[in-house]
Amino acid sequence: MDRMAAEQQIIKLKKRIEEESRHYYIEDNPQITDQEYDQMMRELQDLEDQWPDMVSPDSPTQRVGGMPLPFFEKIVHTTPMLSLGNAFDENDLRDFDRRVRQGLGNQSVRYVCELKIDGLAVSLRYENGLFVKGATRGDGTTGEDITQNLRTIRSIPLRLPEPITMEVRGEAFMSKFAFDRLNKERAEREEALFANPRNSAAGSLRQLDPKIAASRTLSTFIYQIGEIDGRQIDSHSEGLTFLEQLGFSVNQERRTFDEIEEVIQFVQSWTIKRPELSYEIDGMVIKVDSFAQQQELGFTAKSPRWAIAYKFPAEEAVTQLKDIEVS
Ligand SMILES: NC(=O)c1cnc(OC2CCCC2)nc1N
């Protein structure tokens, strides 16, 4: 195969693999067998080995980085990653609603309710459409640069369909199935077990060797746009739809309501349905949908006045095998 043909074949394979990755990791609806997928990856790897100057950072062969890092660099977030105020019962939600309506001079309010994923908050930066940097939340202002570990998560696009410069926030997590499988493997190797999926996701992303992170099945749900170049987005729900169009994994269980009593019904329904989910949640996040109204409400010293986290009552404390992450 000559150079020109190789270049065309590499472009075609990257496109096909990206499509199939989205079907598998984002839509949870694979269109081809694992063997066919592996076959395409092998063909792409062989071509890139023959034509090394044709390897680009967004190639799926570049997800698992090089050498283990000696430590993680610090990153200062362009906009702080805020913490959320908590609500523990329905009346706390009614109080939140009262504060919001007072703050808005009794305008009508639309709320977006999202499942509160019990994972690790991460921030992803894209420049001209390329994934360039990813960080943990840290203390909200400064996090750790875990870019090479985040690159191994298949639901994180390495390149967006448009050359956008933006930051997004979301939760990295491990599904209940992946968590059980990982602990089974660790038990067989007589290694310490993880207490819960959240700890295993955090422990995996804190690994200095990207090959270890790549061996852990991690997922993401993206739930917020940080800064974004130029584009006009007026509401949180619009932002989530935009994130879906860009190929991010966005949780489908979100709903909008115009009354807090409807929000309370929705929260109650998920308190019951929670065990059916394939991943762990520890509550619901309720946000004022309109960005103009979010702007008007502003922030307290550390949390937005336009959002609150309703925390589910802790599931009956079950004896968990103690865990410590062996580095
Ligand atoms: N764990 C979650 O699923 C989650 C966490 N946080 C937020 O939103 C915060 C972010 C900035 C203001 C509100 N949404 C979520 N879905």
Side-chain angles (χ1 to χ4, degrees):
M1 181 186 294
D2 70 9
R3 185 179 174 78
M4 178 73 84
E7 198 160 12
Q8 291 308 317
Q9 185 61 0
I10 284 177
I11 290 168
K12 181 169 150 276
L13 281 167
K14 277 168 62 176
K15 198 167 170 341
R16 285 277 292 112
I17 291 167
E18 209 163 82
E19 267 161 30
E20 294 310 327
S21 284
R22 194 174 57 248
H23 291 315
Y24 189 97
Y25 293 105
I26 306 279
E27 297 152 14
D28 200 16
N29 177 19
Q31 307 290 310
I32 58 173
T33 64
D34 294 359
Q35 289 70 25
E36 288 166 319
Y37 182 89
D38 295 344
Q39 161 63 31
M40 287 198 292
M41 282 296 281
R42 261 196 310 278
E43 193 184 338
L44 176 60
Q45 187 63 66
D46 291 349
L47 281 168
E48 290 182 346
D49 294 347
Q50 288 162 38
W51 309 85
D53 64 310
M54 289 189 197
V55 180
S56 61
D58 69 312
S59 170
T61 61
Q62 305 305 302
R63 276 193 178 276
V64 185
M67 306 304 290
L69 295 171
F71 55 88
F72 291 120
E73 300 279 350
K74 294 288 183 205
I75 291 189
V76 178
H77 300 300
T78 39
T79 48
M81 291 179 72
L82 302 162
S83 59
L84 279 164
N86 289 327
F88 295 99
D89 61 32
E90 300 165 8
N91 286 330
D92 289 347
L93 289 176
R94 294 187 180 103
D95 292 345
F96 167 69
D97 177 55
R98 241 190 305 281
R99 290 195 301 273
V100 162
R101 291 180 189 282
Q102 266 160 7
L104 294 174
N106 287 330
Q107 300 164 33
S108 66
V109 182
R110 167 155 295 183
Y111 292 116
V112 180
C113 297
E114 299 167 14
L115 300 183
K116 187 170 180 299
I117 312 304
D118 193 7
L120 188 77
V122 293
S123 177
L124 309 175
R125 181 168 179 76
Y126 289 80
E127 288 175 358
N128 302 317
L130 264 183
F131 177 48
V132 294
K133 206 168 274 308
T136 61
R137 181 179 176 283
D139 63 7
T141 307
T142 308
E144 290 181 319
D145 181 340
I146 54 166
T147 305
Q148 65 171 6
N149 285 342
L150 290 168
R151 287 178 63 87
T152 69
I153 302 179
R154 299 301 191 281
S155 60
I156 292 180
L158 296 179
R159 177 192 287 279
L160 302 177
E162 298 165 41
I164 298 178
T165 294
M166 68 189 294
E167 273 186 29
V168 299
R169 271 80 195 268
E171 206 82 1
F173 65 95
M174 192 178 280
S175 71
K176 294 174 183 172
F177 174 77
F179 168 71
D180 291 340
R181 184 180 55 186
L182 175 63
N183 263 353
K184 207 176 273 112
E185 287 163 8
R186 292 174 73 93
E188 277 153 19
R189 293 197 301 261
E190 293 180 2
E191 287 175 5
L193 304 185
F194 286 106
N196 53 52
R198 192 210 166 285
N199 287 14
S200 62
S204 302
L205 287 173
R206 258 202 312 262
Q207 289 293 327
L208 289 165
D209 179 354
K211 289 183 180 49
I212 298 179
S215 72
R216 307 277 175 82
T217 311
L218 291 169
S219 309
T220 56
F221 283 126
I222 304 301
Y223 51 64
Q224 190 192 14
I225 295 176
E227 60 151 46
I228 180 166
D229 63 0
R231 237 152 283 266
Q232 179 60 31
I233 299 174
D234 298 324
S235 74
H236 179 64
S237 40
E238 221 181 289
L240 293 177
T241 304
F242 182 55
L243 288 169
E244 276 173 334
Q245 288 162 355
L246 292 177
F248 288 105
S249 168
V250 180
N251 193 279
Q252 298 299 305
E253 303 304 338
R254 61 191 189 272
R255 296 288 182 280
T256 55
F257 299 107
D258 297 332
E259 294 302 332
I260 198 65
E261 293 309 320
E262 295 171 305
V263 168
I264 289 169
Q265 296 294 327
F266 185 65
V267 165
Q268 275 168 347
S269 71
W270 274 105
T271 310
I272 296 158
K273 287 193 292 186
R274 183 179 176 192
E276 295 162 21
L277 288 166
S278 61
Y279 46 86
E280 290 201 346
I281 61 172
D282 60 345
M284 305 286 295
V285 183
I286 296 99
K287 303 171 183 176
V288 168
D289 193 24
S290 151
F291 283 159
Q293 291 183 335
Q294 290 186 9
Q295 194 90 27
E296 212 174 320
L297 288 165
F299 304 85
T300 67
K302 60 181 180 57
S303 301
R305 286 199 184 89
W306 42 266
I308 197 159
Y310 176 87
K311 307 284 279 190
F312 289 144
E315 288 179 298
E316 66 286 347
V318 293
T319 47
Q320 296 272 5
L321 288 163
K322 274 322 293 159
D323 88 299
I324 31 163
E325 162 66 351
V326 284
S327 55

